Amino acid sequence: MKVKKTRAVFITGTGTGVGKSMVCGLLGRFLLEKEYRVTTQKWVQTGTDELDSDIDLHLKLMGKERKDVKEFLPHIMPYSFKFAASPHLAAQLEAVRIKTSKIKQSFKVLASNFEFVIVEGAGGALVPFNRRKLLIDIAASLNLEVVIVAQNELGAINHTLLTIEAVKKRGLKICGIIFNNVSSRGNKSILKDNIKIIKEISKEKILGELPFMKNEQRLYEAFIPIGNKFLMAR
């Protein structure tokens, strides 16, 4: 089924392991429950020898499996490499050249079949896919709006403000920032102030804060207000 208009968002982060994949899956479920036809996408997946792909986590959180997206899977994950490293190195080790044209074509296929395309970046905002270009440059060429996932910890102020600057330098609109608590530890005063000072300095919209919890249903329930703010911010 072709769709007339597609909305898309690029999910980037302040680093590796900050919760981008989880946010993509939670946002995907939220949009599905809002009755949107939605898909996620990961342009370059690395580390497939060591763990399931990030797409598998997206699907799990969305209540789906690979068989449910079999038709579109080559476009959902156009590049996949075994070594867990930056895309440029993982591709180099397998003697593969990552082509911007292939990524854009895969995005266009999804955009013509879904109402929402949620694209997960790799690592932080300035991750290269070859020796000269960054993944965020592809997002800029597609004029994608951006959501930043920030790991809420000591050091988050610097990491988040640098990410904001990098995104804005490329002329991309920031829909908002999601703060993710990846553990139950951490000084509460610091965690609370991180959000406050980043908002005051950057003037960017804070979509919300995700608590640390292992129960996926409860985590999704905590995400719902963030999802609502995301829709209102666009």
Side-chain angles (χ1 to χ4, degrees), residues 1 7 16-17 46 68 76 111 139 146 149 151-152 154-155 158 162 165 199 203 209 232 234:
M1 180 183 71
R7 286 178 272 185
T16 299
T46 66
D68 299 318
I76 289 173
V146 175
V149 180
Q151 184 168 322
N152 200 7
L154 182 64
N158 177 65
L162 285 173
E165 284 198 9
K199 180 178 180 179
K203 311 301 181 187
E209 180 184 11
M232 289 188 294
R234 306 185 75 255

Side-chain angles (χ1 to χ4, degrees), residues 152-153 156-157 179 190-198:
N152 200 7
E153 61 178 355
I157 298 171
F179 286 86
I190 291 175
L191 303 184
K192 182 177 180 180
D193 185 68
N194 282 344
I195 300 173
K196 182 179 179 181
I197 192 66
I198 289 169

Side-chain angles (χ1 to χ4, degrees), residues 45-53 80-84 94:
Q45 172 70 56
T46 66
T48 54
D49 249 5
E50 300 178 12
L51 69 166
D52 290 334
S53 75
S80 177
F81 301 103
K82 294 179 180 180
F83 189 54
E94 295 188 29

